[in-house]
Amino acid sequence: MTSSSLFTQLDLGKRAMMAQQSGMSTAGHNIANIDNADYTRQRVDLEPQHPFRSRFGAGVDVRAVEQVADRFLNKRLIAEQSRGGNAEIREKGLQRMEALFSEVEGFGLRNALNEFWGAWGRLASEPEAEILRQDLLGASQRLATRLNGLNHDFRQTRQELNGRIAERVERVNQLAGLIAELNGRIQQSDRGKGEANDLRDQREKALKELSKLVQIDWFENDTDKLVRVAIGNGFPLVTGRAANKVEASFASDEVGMFSLRGVDPKGISRDLTTHIQAGELKEYVLLRDDIMAHFIDKLDEFASEVAFRVNRLHNSGTGLSASVKELDSTFALKPDALARPLPFLKEGLFRLHRVDADHQITQTYEVPLRAGQDSVQDVVRRINETVADPQVVQARINPDGSVSIEAQGANRLVLGEDETDLAATMGFNNFFENLQGARDFRVNPKLQERPSLISTGRDLLPGDNSIALAINQLQFEPSMAGESITFDDFYNGMLAELGLLLNRSHE
């Protein structure tokens, strides 16, 4: 054996030992990261050394240290993060809403509503009892407080969801910047013949977290090893070694609520709010703008209908010595609406009673009104034409757009039976006042100052309880959804709808 062949054999052995040492180091690296959920197992890829002029092999060499991973499976795994993000956020949001509707310990809306109907029933049994009028006002105030509180809690929760959207957008931008940075480091490492497997694990971890926040479309270019990421309707979030921004913008249809906009380096932006398909961001937007807004609208519809139905009966009734010098409407119209047909006005007669100093009705005025035609200006003109004596009763439109009907001299007024719903539409002698549904639902302050004004009967008849009975019976009458279901049915339907959404979130 020549010295050159001896050196050749020694070199062959050296390379073999180094190759096996690389394998042992890689195995040690794998074992050290056994509890690292974001680590991908690696293996040494060995290849025979080129034999040159020898007829025998020249030993072994390390070709690369590769990650043992199914690229297709990894891509599916990253994509599934969006679905997981959806379910988790939706369940938490719906559980929060369920807690707001809690009926435990007698503080729920259903209990407040039952107390309200019951108070009217007790007042109907003794319509002239002052203490029962006070009890009714207390029950009515609790109902108003519960509706106000629910509305406030729902809107506050919407604001919290809005804040979470801004937080998630900030994290999306951080992850996009990290992926772009890792792209550059991986590319640099590969060009220097180094191994970038651990950097790829970091990039994959960032992709998983990003996918949980927002559904992404991504691919790795086999040539330059850079990952490109797009979101929404193709907005390029990561373009290799650079990243664009997502902005939580106040340029939205609703004041104070964020929209999602993609912004490129030139400052050109596009709206992504409705184009993001899945992930936590999508779920927060859905909870805020669809689910939460839907239940706020339902609650407002419920409150408005309770107020309207109670007011329509209360408007046409009278309390104890309940005549007044002047009737003022709760609601006011803007100048451009004064000449338009009044909404909700029905065809029929609006009745107004003139009362003397002894609280006796001396005359009834029947004012004919036309649905879909008469404006506030027409109504005021027709009241004055029907009375035909401004020294007795005068109707007018005030500068703020409200309407007043004033008795002159010793005369006083009470409202009679109203076929037109004018009193409820304009807010004459309302029991409840509200313009925005549950948010501003309240008991008429005039009734709290003078409980004797609470209507229990009609036409100042002593002991008449017809109005109190009729309001008590509203709880059993179909009033909601096109007069097909009761108030209780409507409220129970809201709770059932929420429960169904919560059950689906568990699937």
Side-chain angles (χ1 to χ4, degrees):
M1 179 182 295
T2 65
S3 61
S4 68
S5 64
L6 177 61
F7 286 128
T8 298
Q9 294 302 314
L10 290 174
D11 187 56
L12 184 150
K14 175 186 174 184
R15 285 198 301 274
M17 290 178 66
M18 291 179 65
Q20 297 306 317
Q21 186 178 22
S22 297
M24 292 177 65
S25 297
T26 301
H29 190 45
N30 289 337
I31 294 170
N33 283 277
I34 194 169
D35 292 325
N36 184 353
D38 299 307
Y39 176 78
T40 303
R41 187 167 64 89
Q42 301 176 18
R43 69 181 178 190
V44 176
D45 186 13
L46 303 176
E47 64 179 357
Q49 180 71 13
H50 193 280
F52 298 104
R53 290 189 292 272
S54 171
R55 71 179 62 181
F56 306 106
V60 71
D61 201 1
V62 177
R63 187 178 70 85
V65 179
E66 297 179 333
Q67 292 178 304
V68 183
D70 185 327
R71 295 181 65 183
F72 176 76
L73 187 61
N74 282 351
K75 197 172 183 70
R76 285 289 304 275
L77 182 62
I78 291 173
E80 284 298 310
Q81 301 300 310
S82 297
R83 183 177 178 182
N86 273 39
E88 182 180 350
I89 297 303
R90 176 169 294 197
E91 183 175 1
K92 289 181 178 179
L94 293 174
Q95 286 175 343
R96 174 73 180 278
M97 292 176 63
E98 187 179 43
L100 296 181
F101 273 117
S102 176
E103 294 285 338
V104 297
E105 299 181 2
F107 292 111
L109 178 57
R110 181 188 285 110
N111 186 72
L113 193 63
N114 289 339
E115 284 187 4
F116 173 72
W117 300 130
W120 276 107
R122 290 188 293 275
L123 182 58
S125 65
E126 295 185 62
E128 298 181 1
E130 180 70 22
I131 190 170
L132 293 181
R133 290 173 178 267
Q134 293 291 349
D135 287 346
L136 172 61
L137 288 172
S140 303
Q141 186 56 52
R142 286 190 290 275
L143 175 60
T145 299
R146 185 56 183 152
L147 284 168
N148 299 157
L150 264 178
N151 180 274
H152 174 270
D153 291 343
F154 274 121
R155 293 185 183 278
Q156 186 66 34
T157 303
R158 277 198 83 208
Q159 288 293 342
E160 291 176 12
L161 293 172
N162 196 50
R164 295 291 177 86
I165 289 172
E167 291 174 3
R168 295 307 192 268
V169 165
E170 182 178 358
R171 185 57 181 160
V172 165
N173 290 329
Q174 291 173 352
L175 290 169
L178 177 59
I179 292 169
E181 177 192 346
L182 289 169
N183 271 342
R185 292 172 63 187
I186 289 169
Q187 187 181 57
Q188 185 178 11
S189 180
D190 284 345
R191 285 175 177 172
K193 303 302 181 182
E195 297 296 345
N197 291 335
D198 291 341
L199 293 175
R200 286 188 171 87
D201 282 342
Q202 293 179 40
R203 185 173 65 182
E204 186 171 303
K205 178 184 178 182
L207 284 169
K208 286 179 181 177
E209 185 179 349
L210 180 61
S211 180
K212 187 176 182 180
L213 296 176
V214 57
Q215 181 174 303
I216 60 175
D217 292 318
W218 67 279
F219 71 95
E220 181 180 0
N221 191 304
D222 290 333
T223 302
D224 58 18
K225 304 300 181 183
L226 299 181
V227 162
R228 272 80 173 177
V229 181
I231 62 173
N233 55 348
F235 175 74
L237 184 62
V238 179
T239 57
R241 302 177 70 165
N244 292 324
K245 293 281 187 181
V246 178
E247 181 183 84
S249 170
F250 282 120
S252 64
D253 294 334
E254 185 175 355
V255 176
M257 294 297 165
F258 290 120
S259 65
L260 305 178
R261 306 192 68 83
V263 184
D264 64 20
K266 296 180 180 179
I268 300 174
S269 67
R270 70 174 77 167
D271 189 5
L272 305 175
T273 312
T274 59
H275 297 289
I276 292 174
Q277 300 302 312
E280 292 185 5
L281 259 178
K282 173 65 176 180
E283 202 58 43
Y284 278 127
V285 171
L286 183 65
L287 280 168
R288 183 194 70 180
D289 293 344
D290 290 0
I291 297 176
M292 190 68 69
H294 168 70
F295 279 92
I296 290 174
D297 289 344
K298 297 279 278 188
L299 188 65
D300 286 342
E301 181 185 357
F302 179 85
S304 295
E305 196 64 29
V306 168
F308 179 77
R309 297 284 175 167
V310 170
N311 287 342
R312 186 163 64 173
L313 290 168
H314 190 270
N315 295 142
S316 61
T318 55
L320 305 175
S321 303
S323 61
V324 295
K325 190 68 177 174
E326 184 173 329
L327 289 165
D328 299 309
S329 69
T330 302
F331 309 124
L333 277 69
K334 295 180 179 179
D336 59 347
L338 294 175
R340 296 177 188 169
L342 264 175
F344 313 118
L345 193 66
K346 293 182 179 179
E347 198 88 14
L349 296 176
F350 169 69
R351 294 178 175 86
L352 187 65
H353 298 313
R354 178 157 60 103
V355 180
D356 63 17
D358 296 324
H359 303 289
Q360 299 297 314
I361 296 175
T362 59
Q363 189 169 357
T364 297
Y365 302 105
E366 295 185 336
V367 183
L369 299 178
R370 300 168 300 177
Q373 298 182 52
D374 285 343
S375 65
V376 169
Q377 293 173 345
D378 296 325
V379 169
V380 168
R381 175 177 52 79
R382 197 160 293 128
I383 291 173
N384 289 331
E385 288 175 351
T386 302
V387 175
D389 188 349
Q391 300 303 314
V392 175
V393 175
Q394 179 71 42
R396 66 178 183 274
I397 298 174
N398 300 312
D400 64 355
S402 64
V403 174
S404 294
I405 306 174
E406 184 178 3
Q408 307 296 318
N411 297 300
R412 297 178 71 83
L413 298 170
V414 293
L415 292 171
E417 185 179 358
D418 182 11
E419 300 171 356
T420 69
D421 283 347
L422 172 67
T425 300
M426 293 303 298
F428 290 117
N429 192 31
N430 273 358
F431 186 87
F432 288 122
E433 295 182 350
N434 76 315
L435 286 172
Q436 303 176 47
R439 179 189 293 188
D440 61 348
F441 188 97
R442 67 172 185 167
V443 181
N444 187 342
K446 293 180 180 179
L447 301 181
Q448 294 177 319
E449 294 172 4
R450 291 181 58 193
S452 62
L453 292 176
I454 296 174
S455 298
T456 51
R458 296 183 187 276
D459 300 337
L460 298 175
L461 295 174
D464 186 4
N465 66 353
S466 58
I467 294 296
L469 279 175
I471 294 178
N472 172 257
Q473 290 301 304
L474 282 176
Q475 62 182 311
F476 307 114
E477 295 179 4
S479 304
M480 303 293 295
E483 299 188 343
S484 62
I485 59 176
T486 66
F487 290 116
D488 279 349
D489 292 336
F490 185 85
Y491 181 66
N492 291 337
M494 290 175 63
L495 298 183
E497 183 180 0
L498 179 59
L500 183 60
L501 288 171
L502 191 55
N503 287 336
R504 286 177 178 172
S505 72
H506 295 152
E507 296 176 357

